[in-house]
Amino acid sequence: MKEMQGSGILPQHPSSEIESILYPILTTGKITRRDQQKLLSFMFSNPELKPEDRKKINRVFDNIRRGGYIVID
């Protein structure tokens, strides 16, 4: 979690749809299965996703794989 805050990907405030999904994950270090589904759905329904947003989403999934986030149901 500390890595995410220091890496410059923590949104200042959730002003866009993707930031509103990412903000609670990045600030709490926890992600629900529903959040995971929302992220995947957002990625697949937005093929023209900005590279920086895609990078943020990929970092979240990388952190999940490494155990950096607590996955809750």
Side-chain angles (χ1 to χ4, degrees):
M1 181 60 209
K2 292 177 186 170
E3 172 192 333
M4 300 302 285
Q5 288 175 337
S7 67
I9 69 162
L10 185 66
Q12 296 302 316
H13 51 75
S15 59
S16 70
E17 183 179 355
I18 187 60
E19 288 178 352
S20 68
I21 297 169
L22 290 173
Y23 189 79
I25 299 165
L26 299 176
T27 57
T28 65
K30 298 175 184 175
I31 185 168
T32 65
R33 298 289 179 195
R34 182 163 167 75
D35 291 335
Q36 288 178 305
Q37 290 173 339
K38 282 197 267 185
L39 284 174
L40 285 173
S41 176
F42 186 85
M43 283 181 68
F44 292 129
S45 64
N46 293 287
E48 300 297 319
L49 193 62
K50 293 187 284 186
E52 59 268 15
D53 288 337
R54 186 173 301 280
K55 185 176 181 180
K56 291 174 187 178
I57 293 168
N58 286 335
R59 281 194 178 171
V60 168
F61 284 115
D62 288 343
N63 252 337
I64 291 168
R65 282 190 287 277
R66 288 192 321 248
Y69 289 125
I70 297 169
V71 179
I72 55 176
D73 286 321

